[in-house]
Amino acid sequence: MLGKLNMDEFAMGSSNETSYYGPVINPWKAEGSNLERVPGGSSGGSAAAVAAHLCAGATATDTGGSIRQPAAFTGTVGIKPTYGRCSRWGVVAFASSLDQAGPLARDVRDAAILLKSMASVDDKDTTSVDLPVPDYEAAIGQSVKGMKIGIPKEYRVEGMPEDIEKLWQQGIAWLKDSGAEIVDISLPHTKYALPAYYIVAPAEASSNLARYDGVKYGLRVPGKDIADMYEKTRAEGFGHEVQRRIMIGTYVLSAGYYDAYYLKAQKVRTLIKRDFENVFAQGIDTILTPATPSAAFGIADQELANDPVKMYLNDIFTVTVNMAGLPGISVPAGLDANGLPLGLQLIGKPFDEETLFRTASVIERAAGRFTPEKWW
Ligand code: GLN
């Protein structure tokens, strides 16, 4: 253990800018520009440290994309394992039905080695699953010949930059050249995933963070009476984004709105899960999508700062995977026109991380490795 790394407060964010300690700076800069960029979030500190070669690998968590999006923004490899593959013991709970821990590393092999040592059943996390841990490293270098790779049409979203579409097509071409069969698929409920996530995740967060009451747990800011103490404690102890999530979560769980929001989002979640089950039942081995809808953006981007919903759109390709409890990996696949790294995502069947490592290593071999120029 070398040290702890920065992150968005309570793992809520896509840019590291909600961090109590201030934002991490991405080691990557666009060509000919000095603009400081975000490393993504919430595990931005982990991704930046790995990209800058401060460490060989780092642990991270992913509730809606917090391993995969920072990996894509920093040219590193990040895998969110299947829900239950790793213990979350010691991790502050955000949304317990979505949270999963996993590694960030400089290449696919390192990620496989790290996951092998992280994956296990654990008495201290009852959601962890007692299944043998395969030798993930052995999957690297295996052929993808004859494998069926699904390309979901719903991931071609409006306003997606041309660079992202090009990268996706490149990834498809590499896998085809390696003997995989490319199959067009449909995941019809994809468009509801982001709104449903932003109901389910805040609902669980509001419940999980209720323990930070200043009485039995966490910070306490004294007040003139108990109500005043609660108010001061929770106003001071949580940043704006966390407060927003608690308020959304409390609202969607309240008696009058529970059925309309929370229950409906849970039903949508089941439909999203079923979409994936259907395509896997049709013989699809893994699904290829872009990891993020853009490259790393600038710190304090005004458009994003003033519109939290725009920030939430960063998770558009990653939240479906958490909603369905599936494994997903982000692998660097190229640079955009400005020289910033971009990632492709592979989504797998439950507990089939091996197929993700195998396929990601084919993409890695074709794309090469990406390291930022040292300016720090
Ligand atoms: N960016 C997403 C959010 O803010 C995901 C966070 C995460 O995976 N921890 O909720």
Side-chain angles (χ1 to χ4, degrees):
M1 172 85 166
L2 295 176
K4 295 193 181 188
L5 292 157
N6 200 359
M7 60 187 291
D8 281 297
E9 194 175 30
F10 288 99
M12 297 171 190
S14 301
S15 67
N16 238 264
E17 293 164 298
T18 77
S19 167
Y20 182 80
Y21 304 98
V24 166
I25 300 166
N26 194 329
W28 284 88
K29 287 188 172 173
E31 266 160 34
S33 156
N34 235 341
L35 179 72
E36 289 181 340
R37 292 178 184 270
V38 305
S42 61
S43 307
S46 297
V50 172
H53 290 221
L54 304 183
C55 55
T59 55
T61 65
D62 189 314
T63 301
S66 282
I67 293 177
R68 292 160 289 156
Q69 185 251 17
F73 276 16
T74 56
T76 56
V77 177
I79 179 162
K80 182 203 89 75
T82 311
Y83 185 76
R85 184 67 287 190
C86 295
S87 168
R88 290 104 35 103
W89 172 250
V91 175
V92 172
F94 167 5
S96 306
S97 75
L98 302 163
D99 299 343
Q100 183 56 206
L104 272 153
R106 279 205 291 275
D107 64 15
V108 178
R109 185 177 297 276
D110 285 356
I113 294 168
L114 278 164
L115 183 61
K116 178 149 171 55
S117 60
M118 288 175 77
S120 74
V121 65
D122 181 0
D123 290 345
K124 297 198 181 87
D125 179 353
T126 52
T127 67
S128 68
V129 172
D130 192 5
L131 275 178
V133 180
D135 181 3
Y136 297 122
E137 200 185 349
I140 292 165
Q142 280 183 22
S143 162
V144 294
K145 210 163 170 202
M147 211 149 108
K148 282 195 174 150
I149 316 259
I151 310 298
K153 64 169 191 270
E154 290 80 5
Y155 282 61
R156 192 159 282 114
V157 295
E158 213 183 300
M160 192 161 86
E162 209 182 297
D163 278 338
I164 304 277
E165 175 66 34
K166 246 176 42 201
L167 183 89
W168 199 8
Q169 292 309 323
Q170 179 61 261
I172 291 171
W174 284 329
L175 293 173
K176 214 188 224 166
D177 289 348
S178 305
E181 187 189 331
I182 305 298
V183 187
D184 288 324
I185 58 165
S186 173
L187 298 164
H189 297 93
T190 300
K191 63 172 178 289
Y192 304 115
L194 201 61
Y197 169 84
Y198 276 99
I199 289 174
V200 173
E204 293 185 23
S206 74
S207 158
N208 275 324
L209 299 188
R211 74 186 63 159
Y212 290 87
D213 57 3
V215 178
K216 302 182 290 297
Y217 203 85
L219 172 85
R220 175 192 291 214
V221 180
K224 62 178 187 310
D225 52 32
I226 188 155
D228 193 39
M229 185 278 287
Y230 275 143
E231 281 175 17
K232 287 199 168 115
T233 295
R234 293 177 70 81
E236 216 167 281
F238 296 128
H240 290 310
E241 183 58 32
V242 180
Q243 289 178 2
R244 177 167 23 241
R245 306 279 179 119
I246 293 172
M247 284 192 281
I248 295 171
T250 309
Y251 180 82
V252 300
L253 288 176
S254 60
Y257 298 103
Y258 186 90
D259 290 2
Y261 292 104
Y262 184 69
L263 210 59
K264 199 172 224 170
Q266 291 289 33
K267 287 181 182 161
V268 169
R269 184 173 182 178
T270 304
L271 295 174
I272 291 164
K273 193 158 178 269
R274 205 170 292 157
D275 282 354
F276 283 107
E277 283 163 3
N278 288 342
V279 300
F280 289 132
Q282 288 158 24
I284 296 295
D285 294 295
T286 176
I287 298 165
L288 179 74
T289 77
T292 57
S294 76
F297 43 88
I299 288 179
D301 183 307
Q302 280 317 297
E303 215 183 310
L304 290 164
N306 297 329
D307 186 351
V309 174
K310 271 213 180 102
M311 188 64 90
Y312 296 170
L313 283 171
N314 265 284
D315 306 321
I316 194 152
F317 300 136
T318 49
V319 291
T320 50
V321 178
N322 302 74
M323 294 293 263
L326 302 172
I329 193 168
S330 173
V331 57
L335 301 177
D336 74 358
N338 301 315
L340 292 169
L342 296 172
L344 284 173
Q345 171 177 243
L346 289 157
I347 305 169
K349 296 179 207 165
F351 300 101
D352 188 15
E353 283 81 4
E354 282 166 292
T355 296
L356 299 189
F357 286 122
R358 178 168 159 189
T359 317
S361 71
V362 168
I363 292 174
E364 182 180 64
R365 220 180 312 136
R369 306 262 298 261
F370 303 91
T371 309
E373 224 168 273
K374 200 166 172 180
W375 52 266
W376 55 93

mmCIF file with all atom_site columns, all heavy atoms in Angstrom, residues 11-14 41-42 61-66 94 197-198 245 315, ligand 1:
data_model
loop_
_atom_site.group_PDB
_atom_site.id
_atom_site.type_symbol
_atom_site.label_atom_id
_atom_site.label_alt_id
_atom_site.label_comp_id
_atom_site.label_asym_id
_atom_site.label_entity_id
_atom_site.label_seq_id
_atom_site.pdbx_PDB_ins_code
_atom_site.Cartn_x
_atom_site.Cartn_y
_atom_site.Cartn_z
_atom_site.occupancy
_atom_site.B_iso_or_equiv
_atom_site.pdbx_formal_charge
_atom_site.auth_seq_id
_atom_site.auth_comp_id
_atom_site.auth_asym_id
_atom_site.auth_atom_id
_atom_site.pdbx_PDB_model_num
ATOM   1   N N   . ALA A 1 11  ? -17.870 9.262  -3.680  1.00 0.00 ? 11  ALA A N   1
ATOM   2   C CA  . ALA A 1 11  ? -17.871 8.599  -4.998  1.00 0.00 ? 11  ALA A CA  1
ATOM   3   C C   . ALA A 1 11  ? -18.967 9.114  -5.918  1.00 0.00 ? 11  ALA A C   1
ATOM   4   O O   . ALA A 1 11  ? -19.386 8.437  -6.855  1.00 0.00 ? 11  ALA A O   1
ATOM   5   C CB  . ALA A 1 11  ? -17.964 7.076  -4.859  1.00 0.00 ? 11  ALA A CB  1
ATOM   6   N N   . MET A 1 12  ? -19.441 10.333 -5.648  1.00 0.00 ? 12  MET A N   1
ATOM   7   C CA  . MET A 1 12  ? -20.497 10.908 -6.491  1.00 0.00 ? 12  MET A CA  1
ATOM   8   C C   . MET A 1 12  ? -19.907 11.969 -7.389  1.00 0.00 ? 12  MET A C   1
ATOM   9   O O   . MET A 1 12  ? -19.593 13.071 -6.948  1.00 0.00 ? 12  MET A O   1
ATOM   10  C CB  . MET A 1 12  ? -21.588 11.523 -5.615  1.00 0.00 ? 12  MET A CB  1
ATOM   11  C CG  . MET A 1 12  ? -22.266 10.477 -4.748  1.00 0.00 ? 12  MET A CG  1
ATOM   12  S SD  . MET A 1 12  ? -23.344 11.236 -3.551  1.00 0.00 ? 12  MET A SD  1
ATOM   13  C CE  . MET A 1 12  ? -23.714 9.811  -2.530  1.00 0.00 ? 12  MET A CE  1
ATOM   14  N N   . GLY A 1 13  ? -19.745 11.636 -8.661  1.00 0.00 ? 13  GLY A N   1
ATOM   15  C CA  . GLY A 1 13  ? -19.203 12.598 -9.605  1.00 0.00 ? 13  GLY A CA  1
ATOM   16  C C   . GLY A 1 13  ? -18.526 11.919 -10.758 1.00 0.00 ? 13  GLY A C   1
ATOM   17  O O   . GLY A 1 13  ? -18.254 10.712 -10.719 1.00 0.00 ? 13  GLY A O   1
ATOM   18  N N   . SER A 1 14  ? -18.266 12.699 -11.804 1.00 0.00 ? 14  SER A N   1
ATOM   19  C CA  . SER A 1 14  ? -17.647 12.157 -13.017 1.00 0.00 ? 14  SER A CA  1
ATOM   20  C C   . SER A 1 14  ? -16.416 12.957 -13.405 1.00 0.00 ? 14  SER A C   1
ATOM   21  O O   . SER A 1 14  ? -15.913 12.831 -14.519 1.00 0.00 ? 14  SER A O   1
ATOM   22  C CB  . SER A 1 14  ? -18.650 12.209 -14.173 1.00 0.00 ? 14  SER A CB  1
ATOM   23  O OG  . SER A 1 14  ? -19.808 11.478 -13.850 1.00 0.00 ? 14  SER A OG  1
ATOM   24  N N   . GLY A 1 41  ? -14.209 10.619 -13.032 1.00 0.00 ? 41  GLY A N   1
ATOM   25  C CA  . GLY A 1 41  ? -14.554 10.343 -11.638 1.00 0.00 ? 41  GLY A CA  1
ATOM   26  C C   . GLY A 1 41  ? -15.495 9.165  -11.537 1.00 0.00 ? 41  GLY A C   1
ATOM   27  O O   . GLY A 1 41  ? -15.958 8.664  -12.545 1.00 0.00 ? 41  GLY A O   1
ATOM   28  N N   . SER A 1 42  ? -15.683 8.646  -10.369 1.00 0.00 ? 42  SER A N   1
ATOM   29  C CA  . SER A 1 42  ? -15.173 9.251  -9.157  1.00 0.00 ? 42  SER A CA  1
ATOM   30  C C   . SER A 1 42  ? -13.746 8.807  -8.811  1.00 0.00 ? 42  SER A C   1
ATOM   31  O O   . SER A 1 42  ? -13.057 9.495  -8.069  1.00 0.00 ? 42  SER A O   1
ATOM   32  C CB  . SER A 1 42  ? -16.090 8.902  -7.977  1.00 0.00 ? 42  SER A CB  1
ATOM   33  O OG  . SER A 1 42  ? -16.133 7.501  -7.798  1.00 0.00 ? 42  SER A OG  1
ATOM   34  N N   . THR A 1 61  ? -13.582 1.986  -7.116  1.00 0.00 ? 61  THR A N   1
ATOM   35  C CA  . THR A 1 61  ? -14.937 1.419  -7.086  1.00 0.00 ? 61  THR A CA  1
ATOM   36  C C   . THR A 1 61  ? -15.753 1.993  -8.228  1.00 0.00 ? 61  THR A C   1
ATOM   37  O O   . THR A 1 61  ? -15.430 3.048  -8.773  1.00 0.00 ? 61  THR A O   1
ATOM   38  C CB  . THR A 1 61  ? -15.676 1.688  -5.753  1.00 0.00 ? 61  THR A CB  1
ATOM   39  O OG1 . THR A 1 61  ? -15.871 3.099  -5.626  1.00 0.00 ? 61  THR A OG1 1
ATOM   40  C CG2 . THR A 1 61  ? -14.921 1.138  -4.559  1.00 0.00 ? 61  THR A CG2 1
ATOM   41  N N   . ASP A 1 62  ? -16.793 1.249  -8.579  1.00 0.00 ? 62  ASP A N   1
ATOM   42  C CA  . ASP A 1 62  ? -17.615 1.613  -9.739  1.00 0.00 ? 62  ASP A CA  1
ATOM   43  C C   . ASP A 1 62  ? -19.073 1.332  -9.392  1.00 0.00 ? 62  ASP A C   1
ATOM   44  O O   . ASP A 1 62  ? -19.470 0.179  -9.225  1.00 0.00 ? 62  ASP A O   1
ATOM   45  C CB  . ASP A 1 62  ? -17.144 0.763  -10.929 1.00 0.00 ? 62  ASP A CB  1
ATOM   46  C CG  . ASP A 1 62  ? -17.742 1.177  -12.266 1.00 0.00 ? 62  ASP A CG  1
ATOM   47  O OD1 . ASP A 1 62  ? -18.967 1.397  -12.307 1.00 0.00 ? 62  ASP A OD1 1
ATOM   48  O OD2 . ASP A 1 62  ? -16.992 1.255  -13.262 1.00 0.00 ? 62  ASP A OD2 1
ATOM   49  N N   . THR A 1 63  ? -19.851 2.412  -9.258  1.00 0.00 ? 63  THR A N   1
ATOM   50  C CA  . THR A 1 63  ? -21.276 2.305  -8.963  1.00 0.00 ? 63  THR A CA  1
ATOM   51  C C   . THR A 1 63  ? -22.086 2.591  -10.225 1.00 0.00 ? 63  THR A C   1
ATOM   52  O O   . THR A 1 63  ? -23.162 2.047  -10.433 1.00 0.00 ? 63  THR A O   1
ATOM   53  C CB  . THR A 1 63  ? -21.648 3.306  -7.838  1.00 0.00 ? 63  THR A CB  1
ATOM   54  O OG1 . THR A 1 63  ? -20.868 2.981  -6.690  1.00 0.00 ? 63  THR A OG1 1
ATOM   55  C CG2 . THR A 1 63  ? -23.119 3.282  -7.499  1.00 0.00 ? 63  THR A CG2 1
ATOM   56  N N   . GLY A 1 64  ? -21.515 3.478  -11.075 1.00 0.00 ? 64  GLY A N   1
ATOM   57  C CA  . GLY A 1 64  ? -22.186 3.819  -12.334 1.00 0.00 ? 64  GLY A CA  1
ATOM   58  C C   . GLY A 1 64  ? -21.192 4.036  -13.457 1.00 0.00 ? 64  GLY A C   1
ATOM   59  O O   . GLY A 1 64  ? -21.556 4.439  -14.561 1.00 0.00 ? 64  GLY A O   1
ATOM   60  N N   . GLY A 1 65  ? -19.910 3.848  -13.161 1.00 0.00 ? 65  GLY A N   1
ATOM   61  C CA  . GLY A 1 65  ? -18.891 4.057  -14.193 1.00 0.00 ? 65  GLY A CA  1
ATOM   62  C C   . GLY A 1 65  ? -17.569 4.554  -13.642 1.00 0.00 ? 65  GLY A C   1
ATOM   63  O O   . GLY A 1 65  ? -16.641 4.867  -14.396 1.00 0.00 ? 65  GLY A O   1
ATOM   64  N N   . SER A 1 66  ? -17.449 4.622  -12.324 1.00 0.00 ? 66  SER A N   1
ATOM   65  C CA  . SER A 1 66  ? -16.303 5.287  -11.699 1.00 0.00 ? 66  SER A CA  1
ATOM   66  C C   . SER A 1 66  ? -14.959 4.593  -11.838 1.00 0.00 ? 66  SER A C   1
ATOM   67  O O   . SER A 1 66  ? -13.942 5.166  -11.456 1.00 0.00 ? 66  SER A O   1
ATOM   68  C CB  . SER A 1 66  ? -16.588 5.519  -10.222 1.00 0.00 ? 66  SER A CB  1
ATOM   69  O OG  . SER A 1 66  ? -17.444 6.616  -10.092 1.00 0.00 ? 66  SER A OG  1
ATOM   70  N N   . PHE A 1 94  ? -22.195 3.515  -1.143  1.00 0.00 ? 94  PHE A N   1
ATOM   71  C CA  . PHE A 1 94  ? -22.865 4.584  -1.892  1.00 0.00 ? 94  PHE A CA  1
ATOM   72  C C   . PHE A 1 94  ? -24.246 4.051  -2.288  1.00 0.00 ? 94  PHE A C   1
ATOM   73  O O   . PHE A 1 94  ? -25.260 4.402  -1.691  1.00 0.00 ? 94  PHE A O   1
ATOM   74  C CB  . PHE A 1 94  ? -21.974 4.967  -3.080  1.00 0.00 ? 94  PHE A CB  1
ATOM   75  C CG  . PHE A 1 94  ? -22.583 5.826  -4.164  1.00 0.00 ? 94  PHE A CG  1
ATOM   76  C CD1 . PHE A 1 94  ? -23.859 6.353  -4.071  1.00 0.00 ? 94  PHE A CD1 1
ATOM   77  C CD2 . PHE A 1 94  ? -21.837 6.126  -5.301  1.00 0.00 ? 94  PHE A CD2 1
ATOM   78  C CE1 . PHE A 1 94  ? -24.386 7.158  -5.089  1.00 0.00 ? 94  PHE A CE1 1
ATOM   79  C CE2 . PHE A 1 94  ? -22.353 6.922  -6.319  1.00 0.00 ? 94  PHE A CE2 1
ATOM   80  C CZ  . PHE A 1 94  ? -23.630 7.429  -6.215  1.00 0.00 ? 94  PHE A CZ  1
ATOM   81  N N   . TYR A 1 197 ? -31.027 5.035  -13.183 1.00 0.00 ? 197 TYR A N   1
ATOM   82  C CA  . TYR A 1 197 ? -29.855 5.024  -12.287 1.00 0.00 ? 197 TYR A CA  1
ATOM   83  C C   . TYR A 1 197 ? -29.911 6.216  -11.339 1.00 0.00 ? 197 TYR A C   1
ATOM   84  O O   . TYR A 1 197 ? -29.621 6.080  -10.145 1.00 0.00 ? 197 TYR A O   1
ATOM   85  C CB  . TYR A 1 197 ? -28.560 5.062  -13.109 1.00 0.00 ? 197 TYR A CB  1
ATOM   86  C CG  . TYR A 1 197 ? -27.318 5.328  -12.278 1.00 0.00 ? 197 TYR A CG  1
ATOM   87  C CD1 . TYR A 1 197 ? -26.659 4.284  -11.624 1.00 0.00 ? 197 TYR A CD1 1
ATOM   88  C CD2 . TYR A 1 197 ? -26.808 6.617  -12.128 1.00 0.00 ? 197 TYR A CD2 1
ATOM   89  C CE1 . TYR A 1 197 ? -25.527 4.520  -10.852 1.00 0.00 ? 197 TYR A CE1 1
ATOM   90  C CE2 . TYR A 1 197 ? -25.678 6.870  -11.363 1.00 0.00 ? 197 TYR A CE2 1
ATOM   91  C CZ  . TYR A 1 197 ? -25.038 5.825  -10.725 1.00 0.00 ? 197 TYR A CZ  1
ATOM   92  O OH  . TYR A 1 197 ? -23.926 6.069  -9.960  1.00 0.00 ? 197 TYR A OH  1
ATOM   93  N N   . TYR A 1 198 ? -30.258 7.385  -11.882 1.00 0.00 ? 198 TYR A N   1
ATOM   94  C CA  . TYR A 1 198 ? -30.277 8.592  -11.043 1.00 0.00 ? 198 TYR A CA  1
ATOM   95  C C   . TYR A 1 198 ? -31.517 8.672  -10.149 1.00 0.00 ? 198 TYR A C   1
ATOM   96  O O   . TYR A 1 198 ? -31.780 9.703  -9.539  1.00 0.00 ? 198 TYR A O   1
ATOM   97  C CB  . TYR A 1 198 ? -30.023 9.851  -11.888 1.00 0.00 ? 198 TYR A CB  1
ATOM   98  C CG  . TYR A 1 198 ? -28.515 10.033 -12.058 1.00 0.00 ? 198 TYR A CG  1
ATOM   99  C CD1 . TYR A 1 198 ? -27.857 9.615  -13.215 1.00 0.00 ? 198 TYR A CD1 1
ATOM   100 C CD2 . TYR A 1 198 ? -27.743 10.531 -11.019 1.00 0.00 ? 198 TYR A CD2 1
ATOM   101 C CE1 . TYR A 1 198 ? -26.468 9.712  -13.326 1.00 0.00 ? 198 TYR A CE1 1
ATOM   102 C CE2 . TYR A 1 198 ? -26.364 10.641 -11.121 1.00 0.00 ? 198 TYR A CE2 1
ATOM   103 C CZ  . TYR A 1 198 ? -25.730 10.239 -12.277 1.00 0.00 ? 198 TYR A CZ  1
ATOM   104 O OH  . TYR A 1 198 ? -24.367 10.342 -12.372 1.00 0.00 ? 198 TYR A OH  1
ATOM   105 N N   . ARG A 1 245 ? -27.886 14.594 -4.076  1.00 0.00 ? 245 ARG A N   1
ATOM   106 C CA  . ARG A 1 245 ? -28.262 13.172 -4.180  1.00 0.00 ? 245 ARG A CA  1
ATOM   107 C C   . ARG A 1 245 ? -29.147 12.764 -3.004  1.00 0.00 ? 245 ARG A C   1
ATOM   108 O O   . ARG A 1 245 ? -30.088 12.001 -3.152  1.00 0.00 ? 245 ARG A O   1
ATOM   109 C CB  . ARG A 1 245 ? -27.019 12.289 -4.191  1.00 0.00 ? 245 ARG A CB  1
ATOM   110 C CG  . ARG A 1 245 ? -25.985 12.638 -5.244  1.00 0.00 ? 245 ARG A CG  1
ATOM   111 C CD  . ARG A 1 245 ? -26.327 12.086 -6.593  1.00 0.00 ? 245 ARG A CD  1
ATOM   112 N NE  . ARG A 1 245 ? -25.279 12.493 -7.524  1.00 0.00 ? 245 ARG A NE  1
ATOM   113 C CZ  . ARG A 1 245 ? -24.507 11.651 -8.199  1.00 0.00 ? 245 ARG A CZ  1
ATOM   114 N NH1 . ARG A 1 245 ? -24.669 10.369 -8.067  1.00 0.00 ? 245 ARG A NH1 1
ATOM   115 N NH2 . ARG A 1 245 ? -23.592 12.111 -9.031  1.00 0.00 ? 245 ARG A NH2 1
ATOM   116 N N   . ASP A 1 315 ? -22.079 9.187  -17.857 1.00 0.00 ? 315 ASP A N   1
ATOM   117 C CA  . ASP A 1 315 ? -22.268 7.788  -17.453 1.00 0.00 ? 315 ASP A CA  1
ATOM   118 C C   . ASP A 1 315 ? -23.163 7.016  -18.413 1.00 0.00 ? 315 ASP A C   1
ATOM   119 O O   . ASP A 1 315 ? -23.535 5.883  -18.128 1.00 0.00 ? 315 ASP A O   1
ATOM   120 C CB  . ASP A 1 315 ? -22.894 7.733  -16.053 1.00 0.00 ? 315 ASP A CB  1
ATOM   121 C CG  . ASP A 1 315 ? -22.110 8.536  -15.033 1.00 0.00 ? 315 ASP A CG  1
ATOM   122 O OD1 . ASP A 1 315 ? -20.877 8.504  -15.109 1.00 0.00 ? 315 ASP A OD1 1
ATOM   123 O OD2 . ASP A 1 315 ? -22.724 9.183  -14.171 1.00 0.00 ? 315 ASP A OD2 1
HETATM 124 N N1  . GLN B 2 .   ? -20.553 9.300  -12.070 1.00 0.00 ? 1   GLN B N1  1
HETATM 125 C C1  . GLN B 2 .   ? -21.510 8.426  -11.454 1.00 0.00 ? 1   GLN B C1  1
HETATM 126 C C2  . GLN B 2 .   ? -22.186 9.118  -10.305 1.00 0.00 ? 1   GLN B C2  1
HETATM 127 O O1  . GLN B 2 .   ? -21.861 10.221 -10.034 1.00 0.00 ? 1   GLN B O1  1
HETATM 128 C C3  . GLN B 2 .   ? -20.879 7.152  -11.032 1.00 0.00 ? 1   GLN B C3  1
HETATM 129 C C4  . GLN B 2 .   ? -20.197 7.223  -9.738  1.00 0.00 ? 1   GLN B C4  1
HETATM 130 C C5  . GLN B 2 .   ? -19.567 5.934  -9.314  1.00 0.00 ? 1   GLN B C5  1
HETATM 131 O O2  . GLN B 2 .   ? -19.516 4.963  -10.085 1.00 0.00 ? 1   GLN B O2  1
HETATM 132 N N2  . GLN B 2 .   ? -19.143 5.895  -8.094  1.00 0.00 ? 1   GLN B N2  1
HETATM 133 O O3  . GLN B 2 .   ? -23.051 8.583  -9.677  1.00 0.00 ? 1   GLN B O3  1
#
